[in-house]
Amino acid sequence: MAAPNFRAPKGTRDIFPPESTRLRALIDEFAVVAARSGFGEVISPIFEDLGVFRRLGESTDVVTKEMFDFFDKGTPPQRLALRPELTASICRAYAEHRPVPPWKVWYEGPQFRYEQPQAGRYRQFTQVGVEVLGTDDPQADVDVIVLAAGFFESLGLRQVELALNSLGSSGHQGSRVAYEQALRSYLVAHANDLSAQSQVTLERNPLRVLDSKRSQDREVIAGAPVMVDYLDAESAAHFSAVRAGLEAVGVAYEISPRLVRGLDYYTRTTFEFAAPGLTGAQNAVGGGGRFDGLVEALGGPATAGIGFALGVDRILLACDAEGVFDTPFCGVDVFVVDVTGGTEALKVCTDLRQAGIAADRGYGGRSMKAQMKLANRSGADFAVIIGEDELRSGEVTLRHLGDGTQQRVARAALVNQLGKKRAL
RNA sequence: GUGGGCGUAGCUCAGUUGGUUAGAGCGCCUGGUUGUGGUCCAGGAGGUCGGGGGUUCGAGUCCCCUCGUUCACCCCA
């Protein structure tokens, strides 16, 4: 392969049609589903003060080693970072502007993590998500989960599995603290049977050990105390209300007592969507939970929050695996072939486009044969052909590219004709 | 950050134990007479074999480094 001077940076890629069309369609579908549940879109900056993301927790990899951070040109320079996720940005926006709760927002866009790329894992990736701030009503949790499940369904995905857990309340009196202590002492007692990596993880955050996929750790983890047994009364009630809500609307789920999400801010409800159709280890297509302390950690008022983020790139892979959500058509309706110099194509295309008909034409005054090839490739149903004859008589030839039939049509009647044919 | 696989035309790939001007299919371009695509036929363009260094009379083929990619760990979407 020739060696171009530049390539897309590691872990990033260029997305061309028709894949880009499909990605856009997926985001559009999400926008429709979210709006239907009363969510409005928030467009926040792609970079933030590094401190915003520091609040995600100093024991998370996302914060400690995966941040794309840099200094701006101010005096003194400000330390900024490309967003590794959007929940923190949304909470910062809430703390800054104090919208009236409950604040229901959805978002979409690129996020950045300096990781080792892999199938379904990029340094720049796209997520869609929602957050509800300002209520800890368990039915908000349910609404949010049902929204995600409904979105998967609207794409045609059938095999997405929902795993549910509660991490209990955080804070000094919270049940999470009691559980962490119990878990830590259990794991410490069995440390000799854990893998070396898990022993390191244990120091940092015992909860994360539950996430280990190493076979060596399996036995110890299986015997570990379970969060659900340590829930305080309030958290337990919240959890069973969420479960009751899911059952009321018929959304299937599985309690997954070892589901630990990677970001430290999660409290109480946590959940994850997995697509078993995806090969490899990257089969989580989305996840979320409560982050009741995050707004406060960012300097805002004590505010409950619940939300999720879905990985667009992985969802598309899951759609491929199930053979659903086909790439939408991304061609034009009509292709104009002009062998009289091109000015007629210019005029006809302009007329068609003004009438709302997608039209394209060839450039460079190529032969009719070459232009017909372009017409064929464009995906258009019709070719409008303009030669010297048509030019003289004020007509065009309208050719149906499917069956090859064609007819002469007066120039003035073209838009009308096409409108009628397209309606068929 | 750690380990394994891979890296030949735009795409998917062949390239014998290192040996003459590096190939195929698809795609692209131009033709197949006088204005017509999608099928068919014939031509053509396009590669310093990811990049750099080394071994050798000679390397796409061997060695080292590097970059990218892929799989796994880690982590997460």
Side-chain angles (χ1 to χ4, degrees):
Chain A
M1 187 183 300
N5 287 325
F6 299 104
R7 301 192 222 183
K10 181 170 181 161
T12 69
R13 64 222 153 109
D14 302 302
I15 306 174
F16 291 173
E19 285 74 25
S20 53
T21 311
R22 191 181 187 213
L23 195 147
R24 184 99 271 142
L26 185 138
I27 292 169
D28 288 348
E29 178 62 26
F30 187 77
V32 167
V33 170
R36 198 184 287 150
S37 289
F39 289 80
E41 181 176 11
V42 166
I43 302 173
S44 68
I46 283 182
F47 53 86
E48 298 267 1
D49 192 290
L50 180 69
V52 171
F53 304 120
R54 282 245 169 86
R55 297 297 181 280
L56 298 177
E58 293 295 344
S59 73
T60 65
D61 284 3
V62 168
V63 171
T64 55
K65 50 185 192 194
E66 295 175 1
M67 204 84 80
F68 275 95
D69 62 320
F70 56 96
F71 290 97
D72 72 7
K73 299 182 196 299
T75 40
Q78 187 180 5
R79 188 131 184 228
L80 302 168
L82 263 28
R83 60 189 187 195
E85 58 121 59
L86 264 152
T87 303
S89 295
I90 298 294
C91 288
R92 190 229 83 224
Y94 183 88
E96 182 174 339
H97 303 289
R98 306 290 183 87
V100 177
W103 195 46
K104 299 173 67 174
V105 301
W106 72 272
Y107 60 77
E108 153 278 307
Q111 287 147 71
F112 308 85
R113 260 118 97 156
Y114 193 84
E115 294 186 275
Q116 208 52 240
Q118 208 175 311
R121 191 170 77 179
Y122 306 96
R123 287 185 173 182
Q124 174 176 335
F125 58 101
T126 304
Q127 286 187 335
V128 295
V130 305
E131 318 284 4
V132 180
L133 279 85
T135 176
D136 71 344
D137 187 332
Q139 296 198 350
D141 304 32
V142 177
D143 251 354
V144 153
I145 293 171
V146 170
L147 166 48
F151 172 58
F152 290 130
E153 206 170 305
S154 76
L155 297 177
L157 286 170
R158 288 293 112 106
Q159 295 173 33
V160 177
E161 292 165 1
L162 168 61
L164 186 69
N165 193 21
S166 175
L167 294 179
S169 55
S170 59
H172 296 303
Q173 304 303 317
S175 50
R176 183 164 168 186
V177 173
Y179 174 63
E180 277 191 29
Q181 281 167 0
L183 180 62
R184 186 188 303 268
S185 42
Y186 168 84
L187 290 174
V188 167
H190 295 78
N192 289 339
D193 297 326
L194 286 173
S195 63
Q197 283 148 312
S198 285
Q199 292 182 30
V200 174
T201 307
L202 172 56
E203 299 290 318
R204 207 166 34 119
N205 185 342
L207 284 178
R208 201 69 49 66
V209 175
L210 297 177
D211 242 355
S212 165
K213 295 179 193 100
R214 290 172 288 271
S215 54
Q216 192 190 338
D217 299 328
R218 200 168 294 156
E219 201 175 325
V220 175
I221 291 171
V226 170
M227 180 71 228
V228 179
D229 296 335
Y230 285 78
L231 291 182
D232 57 281
E234 208 179 322
S235 293
H238 187 98
F239 192 40
S240 56
V242 171
R243 296 175 58 174
L246 288 172
E247 278 150 30
V249 294
V251 169
Y253 65 89
E254 185 135 342
I255 300 292
S256 177
R258 297 184 225 305
L259 174 62
V260 180
R261 310 265 321 136
L263 299 163
D264 283 352
Y265 54 66
Y266 282 114
T267 60
R268 299 204 267 188
T269 310
T270 55
F271 55 92
E272 194 167 286
F273 293 96
L278 292 188
T279 55
Q282 315 301 325
N283 68 349
V285 292
R290 285 214 152 266
F291 42 92
D292 293 339
L294 188 52
V295 172
E296 198 173 2
L298 288 163
T303 306
I306 173 84
F308 65 70
L310 311 179
V312 169
D313 311 296
R314 286 187 195 170
I315 291 173
L316 254 14
L317 291 175
C319 287
D320 290 340
E322 288 197 37
V324 299
F325 197 66
D326 292 333
T327 302
F329 175 71
C330 58
V332 293
D333 302 315
V334 177
F335 195 94
V336 179
V337 172
D338 175 6
V339 289
T340 69
T343 304
E344 297 310 308
L346 205 53
K347 292 196 273 196
V348 170
C349 277
T350 302
D351 287 348
L352 291 171
R353 290 164 183 165
Q354 275 171 356
I357 297 169
D360 200 4
R361 43 81 54 96
Y363 299 109
R366 296 223 264 154
S367 71
M368 172 166 286
K369 179 177 176 130
Q371 290 189 52
M372 284 303 293
K373 284 186 83 141
L374 296 179
N376 187 57
R377 209 183 302 156
S378 74
D381 287 331
F382 294 97
V384 167
I385 301 167
I386 304 164
E388 296 299 339
D389 282 5
E390 288 88 344
L391 189 55
R392 263 194 300 279
S393 63
E395 295 176 308
V396 299
T397 293
L398 182 57
R399 181 179 176 87
H400 184 81
L401 291 169
D403 58 26
T405 57
Q406 62 184 46
Q407 58 180 294
R408 288 290 196 98
V409 176
R411 272 283 280 278
L414 178 62
V415 168
N416 225 328
Q417 273 287 322
L418 281 168
K420 266 187 258 167
K421 287 188 182 292
R422 286 202 309 153
L424 291 180

